[in-house]
Amino acid sequence: MVENSQIQLVEKPTTVNLNRFVKPIDINKLVAQYGTPLYLIDEDTLHAKAKELHKAYSKFKGQVKVAYSIKANFTPAVVKAFMRDGIAFDLTSLGELYFIKQCKADPENVIYTSVTEELEEYIEVLQSGVRRIVVSSFNGMANLSKAASKVGGGAAPLTMIRVNPEVGVKAEVRASYRNSKFGVPFNGGTIDSAAKMIKHLMGSDLLKFEGFHFHLGSQITDFSCYTHALDKMDAFIIKMKKENPAFQVNTFDIGGGTPIFYNDPVPTPAQMAENHIGKLNQLAETHGTSTLMIESGRFLVAESAILVSRIVNTKEYNEHKIVIVDAGYHILLDAALLKQEYPQEVVPVVLDSKDKTTALATVKNTHLAGRLCDTYDVFPLSKVSNLSESEVGRYVSFYNVGAYSVVFNMPFHCQTKPPIVMKDSDGKFRLVRKGTTHDQLFREEGGELE
Ligand SMILES: Cc1ncc(COP(=O)(O)O)c(C=O)c1O
């Protein structure tokens, strides 16, 4: 045991309310039924976030469309929840398109932004009835044009150009920097530039120019990059209009990036929108733009999910305590990749009213580690993490894990995928993804071919 003199209590979280949508008593019941690790998702949070993001841009003097970037979490139950909100879907691959089709989402509600931009890919996209496509290279645009001529029938695809505004972005993940792989510069000196691609599109019978798209990064907390990107966009459109007065931009898509809380408080979507809504309205008025698209992965899903893990081992030395849980970066990759500080909390013990408990203190230097035999499998703590009472057998909840977590599940150390349980809007819990087994993994890895 640790001497009292060595004990220091972790400060109680004060500033941020974590989304504790499952009561400890229900967590205990769910882990008894499904085991740990276990992801829990709250449907109500998904709807609330979709509403909040849309409302944030309500001062836009045109139509606002929110598109869910399903790369953040493609669990069919999540996709179906957002279908009930009537929002659009931002897709990047044929695999994601397959998921959307299986969920019976309306292809009219899809915006497709590929990195690969292959001819066969675009043929399948158009055959599926998707009409809104973002191209990111001259070759991609030529492939879309060929695909449109092959597929034929119906109206020309609404074609947007993904520009790389080459602005400085202060964010956890940056997508706009000079010579980035995404989009094309306004004027790059080659055919891979928005200026050249617009000329081609304006003369095309097969594709209809619809507007511009940019995506600056993820978890953006300094919004000046949006202002800079929109200023550059404005100047570029003015230049294009001088060359061709018929040039019209119907849609602006300003990509994703809306941040969520992990370690430090972040601005709300309303505060974010306040930063650039004036510029967006000015652009819309000057250039006749009727539609604004806001893409989001992280903001829409992150706070909807908790990962529950079990403490399986602890050890103490040199005033440090190592707490080992049965989770790891194989199910929470960004903890290792981005050093993401997911808030963690030991799940309170559910007591009978007559039971008494003595609170266990936290050792000063508590480290939360995963089950993998890898140096990087240690979870950074959030400022609001509370690991008091971290004893073997207790459960630890990781909050705000709904984005970029289940989509990265991997079998390192022959680990299986945890099940996912959704708390539906009626308050009932429902299994929405089964966990996988070692037997399934063995067969997937070719075990049955030997
Ligand atoms: C084109 C595009 N749009 C939207 C997003 C979603 O970003 P976020 O999760 O930060 O909202 C991404 C993320 O990579 C993206 O590449």
Side-chain angles (χ1 to χ4, degrees):
M1 275 304 282
V2 192
E3 293 298 321
N4 261 344
S5 57
Q6 296 173 344
I7 290 171
Q8 244 191 31
L9 288 174
V10 163
E11 266 179 19
K12 279 259 176 282
T14 48
T15 48
V16 178
N17 281 326
L18 296 177
N19 188 10
R20 296 185 182 87
F21 59 89
V22 192
K23 294 192 194 102
I25 192 166
D26 289 323
I27 293 183
N28 280 295
K29 280 186 199 156
L30 291 166
V31 296
Q33 191 173 355
Y34 299 106
T36 55
L38 176 67
Y39 292 107
L40 304 171
I41 301 193
D42 185 39
E43 183 188 349
D44 276 352
T45 304
L46 299 174
H47 299 312
K49 295 289 164 184
K51 220 172 165 178
E52 186 182 351
L53 192 55
H54 193 270
K55 194 167 167 231
Y57 287 87
S58 58
K59 286 190 196 147
F60 180 70
K61 292 177 184 151
Q63 192 192 20
V64 177
K65 279 191 177 184
V66 168
Y68 171 52
S69 308
I70 84 161
K71 56 174 75 78
N73 187 334
F74 45 63
T75 306
V78 171
V79 171
K80 287 192 174 175
F82 284 135
M83 282 167 63
R84 290 192 271 285
D85 292 313
I87 62 173
F89 294 98
D90 156 36
L91 312 184
T92 303
S93 72
L94 289 180
E96 291 181 350
L97 181 61
Y98 181 83
F99 267 51
I100 283 291
K101 286 200 287 193
Q102 288 296 105
C103 290
K104 307 219 167 356
D106 182 356
E108 280 282 333
N109 256 345
V110 164
I111 175 158
Y112 192 88
T113 307
S114 169
V115 174
T116 44
E117 305 190 89
E118 293 174 284
L119 174 61
E120 295 305 319
E121 177 184 7
Y122 279 143
I123 290 174
E124 193 170 330
V125 169
L126 294 180
Q127 280 170 341
S128 300
V130 173
R131 294 189 58 232
R132 201 173 278 267
I133 293 163
V134 182
V135 291
S136 299
S137 66
F138 197 93
N139 178 56
M141 183 183 64
N143 280 343
L144 180 61
S145 198
K146 279 184 216 151
S149 105
K150 277 204 167 101
V151 174
L158 302 176
T159 309
M160 319 236 319
I161 297 178
R162 178 167 180 172
V163 288
N164 171 8
E166 298 180 328
V167 291
V169 180
K170 285 187 203 138
E172 212 149 76
V173 181
R174 296 179 305 126
S176 166
Y177 48 90
R178 209 163 155 76
N179 304 326
S180 127
K181 79 180 220 189
F182 301 111
V184 290
F186 289 116
N187 293 292
T190 69
I191 51 171
D192 288 308
S193 69
K196 291 279 184 327
M197 288 165 71
I198 284 164
K199 282 206 180 93
H200 182 92
L201 280 175
M202 294 299 284
S204 168
D205 295 331
L206 292 165
L207 305 178
K208 182 175 181 314
F209 176 71
E210 173 66 13
F212 290 111
H213 171 285
F214 61 68
H215 170 69
L216 303 178
S218 198
Q219 188 69 1
I220 299 176
T221 47
D222 177 339
F223 305 130
S224 57
C225 55
Y226 288 94
T227 321
H228 296 152
L230 291 169
D231 282 344
K232 279 185 149 186
M233 178 82 82
D234 195 12
F236 177 71
I237 298 171
I238 290 169
K239 193 164 162 249
M240 287 294 105
K241 269 188 157 167
K242 274 194 190 136
E243 289 175 23
N244 186 347
F247 183 61
Q248 161 98 21
V249 183
N250 295 330
T251 300
F252 283 128
D253 184 329
I254 61 168
T258 312
I260 70 115
F261 170 78
Y262 294 107
N263 195 39
D264 291 306
V266 294
T268 62
Q271 289 167 323
M272 181 177 182
E274 204 53 43
N275 173 74
H276 38 269
I277 198 72
K279 185 74 201 171
L280 284 165
N281 276 328
Q282 180 247 303
L283 273 166
E285 273 162 30
T286 322
H287 307 303
T289 307
S290 56
T291 305
L292 169 67
M293 288 200 83
I294 310 295
E295 296 175 359
S296 173
R298 191 182 300 277
F299 176 79
L300 291 179
V301 289
E303 288 179 24
S304 72
I306 298 173
L307 173 69
V308 184
S309 64
R310 190 165 54 88
I311 300 176
V312 288
N313 202 359
T314 63
K315 46 189 171 179
E316 294 173 24
Y317 31 64
N318 304 331
E319 295 183 36
H320 287 251
K321 178 169 182 175
I322 317 293
V323 176
I324 297 175
V325 288
D326 60 0
Y329 72 60
H330 61 298
I331 52 174
L332 222 46
L333 182 65
D334 278 349
L337 204 62
L338 301 179
K339 303 274 176 268
Q340 198 67 270
E341 298 109 335
Y342 296 104
Q344 306 100 355
E345 183 176 71
V346 177
V347 178
V349 172
V350 183
L351 296 166
D352 282 343
S353 53
K354 41 188 172 18
D355 288 348
K356 281 203 183 115
T357 179
T358 0
L360 294 168
T362 306
V363 179
K364 186 176 173 189
N365 299 306
T366 299
H367 306 269
L368 189 62
R371 66 177 306 154
L372 305 175
C373 186
D374 187 303
T375 307
Y376 291 102
D377 194 30
V378 176
F379 296 104
L381 305 186
S382 162
K383 285 175 187 161
V384 299
S385 290
N386 188 348
L387 295 178
S388 51
E389 305 188 21
S390 45
E391 299 302 317
V392 170
R394 297 287 295 270
Y395 299 110
V396 174
S397 290
F398 291 74
Y399 288 90
N400 301 351
V401 301
Y404 307 111
S405 55
V406 297
V407 294
F408 287 143
N409 285 184
M410 62 171 115
F412 183 40
H413 278 314
C414 297
Q415 295 299 308
T416 54
K417 289 185 186 181
I420 305 177
V421 167
M422 182 176 264
K423 184 180 176 192
D424 284 336
S425 288
D426 62 6
K428 295 202 177 103
F429 294 98
R430 178 169 66 95
L431 183 69
V432 295
R433 181 179 90 172
K434 286 182 186 164
T436 57
T437 62
H438 284 131
D439 186 51
Q440 280 169 329
L441 180 61
F442 182 72
R443 281 186 278 120
E444 261 178 35
E445 296 304 314
E448 63 185 351
L449 301 176
E450 290 305 307

